[in-house]
């Protein structure tokens, strides 16, 4: 089975910061990666699919990049609404461990 | 409005059964595979199982942790997916989400629509 390693597990940042979250796959997965945002008590929300395609309605400050084994989610300028937990996803069965983005 | 709404959660004793429903609206339900996920308190997301659309046979697959105990079905005429949970264990305690599945290409999926979830608590 392909393993996903997401880092960091926790990230402290301030409004206006540029932040990057990374997912690494144990073997090449082409571009079959999605990113989700989850706020406490809420369902996950799709942000990015196919590594870099922005889901409709998602602000353009979110972007995804990468292919093969290394992928990144970047938020160009953090907004107060962005403090949440972020997950990468390879397949039905394989999600990253999550990155909790906290206010510094 | 395009949405999924789960229902049927609650408190149940170990060994008992519960059936969850996922009611879809705003899109052609029968065209999509549907999955169930769960999230135990303070934990990450765990895939439970999915059901293909009727066009792909309406077949199901399950995570090893629930195989033989949980059954997913669908009623396209009502736009509802079901998760029948039998022989419940305390470790099944979680918020259960249903999703609409999208396929990049054969065997590669992502989940573009999630319900808000329903809490299942298994406790004596």
């Amino acid at each position: 089975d392909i393993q996903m390693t997401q880092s960091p597990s926790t990230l402290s940042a301030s409004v206006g910061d540029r932040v990057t979250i990374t997912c690494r796959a144990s073997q090449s997965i082409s571009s079959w990666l999605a990113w989700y945002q989850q706020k406490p008590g809420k369902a996950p929300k799709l942000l990015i699919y196919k590594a870099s395609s922005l889901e409709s309605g998602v602000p353009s400050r979110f972007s995804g990049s990468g292919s093969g084994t290394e992928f990144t989610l970047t938020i160009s300028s953090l907004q107060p609404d962005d403090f949440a937990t972020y997950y990468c996803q390879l397949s039905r069965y394989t999600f990253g461990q999550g990155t909790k983005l906290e206010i510094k | 409005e395009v949405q999924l709404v789960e229902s049927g959660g609650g408190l149940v004793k170990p060994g008992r059964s519960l059936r969850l429903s996922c009611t879809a609206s705003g899109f052609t339900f029968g065209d999509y595979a549907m999955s169930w996920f769960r999230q135990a308190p303070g934990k990450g997301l765990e895939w439970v199982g999915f059901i293909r659309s009727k066009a792909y046979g309406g077949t199901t697959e399950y995570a090893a942790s629930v195989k033989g105990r949980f059954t997913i079905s669908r009623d396209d005429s009502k736009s509802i997916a079901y998760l029948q949970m039998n022989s419940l264990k305390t470790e099944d305690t979680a918020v259960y989400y249903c999703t609409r599945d999208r396929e990049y290409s054969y065997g590669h999926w992502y989940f573009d629509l999630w319900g808000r979830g329903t809490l299942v608590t298994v406790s004596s």
Side-chain angles (χ1 to χ4, degrees), chain B residues 2 12 17-18 24 26 35 50 54 57 61 69 88 93 96 100 120:
Chain B
V2 176
V12 61
S17 298
L18 203 61
S35 288
F50 85 106
K54 289 289 195 314
E61 293 185 22
R69 299 189 299 124
L88 282 161
T93 294
Y96 284 74
R100 184 175 73 175
V120 173

Side-chain angles (χ1 to χ4, degrees), chain B residues 102-113:
Chain B
R102 304 299 298 273
E103 189 173 27
Y104 298 110
S105 70
Y106 182 76
H108 299 284
W109 298 86
Y110 63 101
F111 311 101
D112 71 337
L113 185 63

